[in-house]
Amino acid sequence: MLAKTASLLVAASVVAIPSLATTTPTIQTISKDVVIVGGGAAGAYAAVRVREDYGKSIALIERESHLGGAVDTWTDPKTGVPYELGVEAFLDYGNATKFFSRFNVSVHVSEQESVNTQYADFSTGHWVNYTVPTAAERLAAFQKYAKLAEQYEDMMLPGLWDFPTADKIPEDLLLNFGDFARKYGIEAAVPTIWDVAAVGLGNLETQPTFYVMQSFPAPLARVYTGKGRTLYVASHRNQDIYDRVSDLLGDDVFYSNVVVRALRTSNGVSVIAKGTDGRQTEIHAKRLLIAIPPTVSNLAPFNLDKKELNILSKTTYTRAYAGGVVSSNLPSNTTIINSALSGNWLNFPDLSFLQWYKALNSPAHYHKVMMFGNETVDSDGSRGLVEQSYQQLVNAGTLLKEGGEGLEWLHFADHGAVNVRACLKDLKAGFIQELYSLQGHLSTWYTGAAWSAQLHTPTWAFSDSVIPRLVEGL
Ligand SMILES: Cc1cc2nc3c(=O)[nH]c(=O)nc-3n(C[C@H](O)[C@H](O)[C@H](O)COP(=O)(O)OP(=O)(O)OC[C@H]3O[C@@H](n4cnc5c(N)ncnc54)[C@H](O)[C@@H]3O)c2cc1C
């Protein structure tokens, strides 16, 4: 039966995907049980588990020359010191510690940061008279928030498989987060919720509470009440975990490749992957696991059908960029956070903005920058946010021109779409069930942050929940 299915697919692919094969010859054709697209957190983790623990053959297609997605360890060429310009810390969730130890990557639970924090309005360049919540206020607010989020933990993590249908969605999850925060008196937790994980949503005041909790779920809240843990890679090089995954997966990973054509049926899939070197590989597989953000533009090569287009067209997303900059005018041990108005913990900038110049604790005044933009903000636009904000701070006299030098880029990365979401009206109308109805449709399964939480290790756990469904019957 399987052999018959495979040959049908080969025949179908020859008919359905001829144009590429005729213009540029396909170099190789391979057959696998599962083809995975996207070797970031969810995809690389899934590749290991599907091949090693479920004994299924895989091909993993990754656009970059390395695995790891939002992990971006940059090594200073002058000193050899690594800096985390993407993911910094890993929530101890699900099988996270086991996955690190599987690859002999040591982790520990606390990291001391000895930097000052100051607040400025990057649109004016002026310091703001911002009073941060006291430790006691913050703890009390997080104790309340953790309890509230725990009520919904099982329906939201590791994924939304059991999320209530439209008429049963808890009212609180549909409230604007500003109203939710005031209703429960948790304002003192909000600056941390925004800064640590929900920043990609922009101004939290008007975001549905559901999406804020998807970014900052109960297990993360427990970290701030002393009942949860965050893990740090002991080598100070987060890329270590994915480099070891890469070594294990070997030739099953197609780096610097993207899918340019696909044929998907309920019996299996054929995809053509094309490398930046122009080489093409035609991969026949019984199942496809998509581990890139499910935006309509990302999925264009997969020839979405009407059902898929109808559902995915309802989503919007935020574009995330990050990098490192250096200027002697940026104080080496001070992080400057972009904050809007004084005294109001619920006031944050609207998309698009620079989150902060975060001190990297380097003697060389290195700062990390993270930018979040609407769908129209491209790489140049996001770099512009950093340069304009810097100029505003200098013009306002907020940054003293001690060194007289401008701002230089050390490193820049485009992290693509984050916080893929539907509007409140669609959420209320049952968007989550619609989205999840795509799981398994046309032999295609999905994993990644859009399906679970906007954090690294919960996407690993979500992959754990998809894999048994994905491999069933193989
Ligand atoms: C800058 C930044 C910092 C973060 N810091 C933290 C943190 O400290 N702790 C934490 O828990 N979470 C953090 N997160 C969030 C967390 O990393 C994400 O939630 C997680 O990476 C999502 O996993 P994913 O697999 O869905 O996407 P990703 O990890 O982004 O993986 C997607 C992968 O698909 C690849 N890809 C994209 N398009 C294609 C294509 N067409 N073909 C082939 N491959 C493609 C990408 O190159 C990437 O490798 C951070 C996110 C960002 C952007």
Side-chain angles (χ1 to χ4, degrees), residues 91-94 109 139-140 142-148 150 153 217-231:
L91 182 64
D92 185 5
Y93 180 76
V109 291
L139 176 62
F142 266 115
Q143 281 165 341
K144 280 193 220 165
Y145 178 78
K147 257 194 182 157
L148 291 161
E150 277 165 358
E153 189 168 352
L220 184 55
R222 286 195 286 274
V223 170
Y224 292 87
T225 64
K227 293 186 176 148
R229 312 193 306 167
T230 319
L231 307 171

Side-chain angles (χ1 to χ4, degrees), residues 151-152 155 162-174 210 427-430 433:
Q151 292 177 61
Y152 311 118
M155 66 174 79
D162 299 322
F163 196 72
T165 48
D167 53 331
K168 299 205 176 74
I169 302 174
E171 274 297 308
D172 275 350
L173 292 183
L174 300 171
F210 167 77
L427 192 59
K428 279 182 176 167
Q433 272 77 26

Side-chain angles (χ1 to χ4, degrees), residues 37-44 61-64 66-71 85-91 196 238 242 257-259 291-293 298 301-302 320-322 368 370 372 415 417-418 447-450 453-459:
V37 179
I61 299 165
E62 166 54 43
R63 186 181 55 189
E64 302 296 328
H66 55 272
L67 299 179
V71 168
L85 298 182
V87 172
E88 290 175 21
F90 300 85
L91 182 64
V196 170
N238 289 345
Y242 288 103
N257 263 257
V258 293
V259 171
I292 63 177
N298 273 353
F302 295 90
Y321 302 90
K368 177 173 172 176
M370 201 125 92
F372 295 92
H415 291 287
V418 298
T447 184
Q454 309 290 322
L455 293 168
H456 210 88
T457 50
T459 67

